[in-house]
Amino acid sequence: MNWWLAAGSLGAVLALAGVARMLRLGGTQALADGDDAIRMAEALVSGFEGRVGVVAADGGRAAVASGPGDLVVIEPLGARHRATRFKSARIVMAHPEADGTKLALELQPGTVLRITVADAEAARAFAETLT
């Protein structure tokens, strides 16, 4: 076995991994704000027109409301995002916390989504739109 060839191959693989990391290739892109969530929901769900969006404090999960009961939940799925539309969603609990706002959404009977949002104003507008 040629050790120089093995070392060179390993170096090339590590260099390519470093370039991919610098360019932020791979992995899910974090959502910055409600407007990003609205744009993504409208792109992923045909015929959906979002009015108010909220993004989780970590930027991974988001929810976009179109009107009373009409909701799209955006979740990371590998290097992409998955959007699921719910037509009869409702707010179960909404109360301000010291670090943001915690929302509990009943997506369908027996299925509750809890999301911690950093922007309390966006959370209030979201709750008003969904109800």
Side-chain angles (χ1 to χ4, degrees):
M1 181 169 160
N2 187 344
W3 291 104
W4 288 108
L5 182 62
S9 297
L10 178 63
V13 168
L14 292 176
L16 287 174
V19 169
R21 187 175 182 98
M22 269 186 356
L23 295 174
R24 296 182 185 191
L25 298 176
T28 306
Q29 299 295 323
L31 297 167
D33 57 10
D35 292 335
D36 279 352
I38 291 171
R39 280 191 293 276
M40 184 168 288
E42 289 175 347
L44 293 174
V45 179
S46 178
F48 181 77
E49 293 183 24
R51 289 177 46 201
V52 180
V54 291
V55 177
D58 64 357
R61 182 179 283 170
V64 179
S66 175
D70 195 12
L71 173 75
V72 169
V73 175
I74 301 169
E75 298 175 305
L77 181 66
R80 299 174 188 244
H81 287 89
R82 169 181 65 187
T84 308
R85 189 173 190 176
F86 298 94
K87 297 265 188 173
S88 61
R90 66 183 182 95
I91 297 278
V92 177
M93 170 190 70
H95 59 85
E97 293 285 325
D99 60 343
T101 300
K102 291 191 180 213
L103 297 172
L105 309 169
E106 185 175 39
L107 304 176
Q108 49 189 320
T111 305
V112 176
L113 169 70
R114 289 179 175 80
I115 185 169
T116 301
V117 182
D119 186 4
E121 289 299 319
R124 282 189 205 92
F126 177 81
E128 288 173 7
T129 303
L130 195 58
T131 46

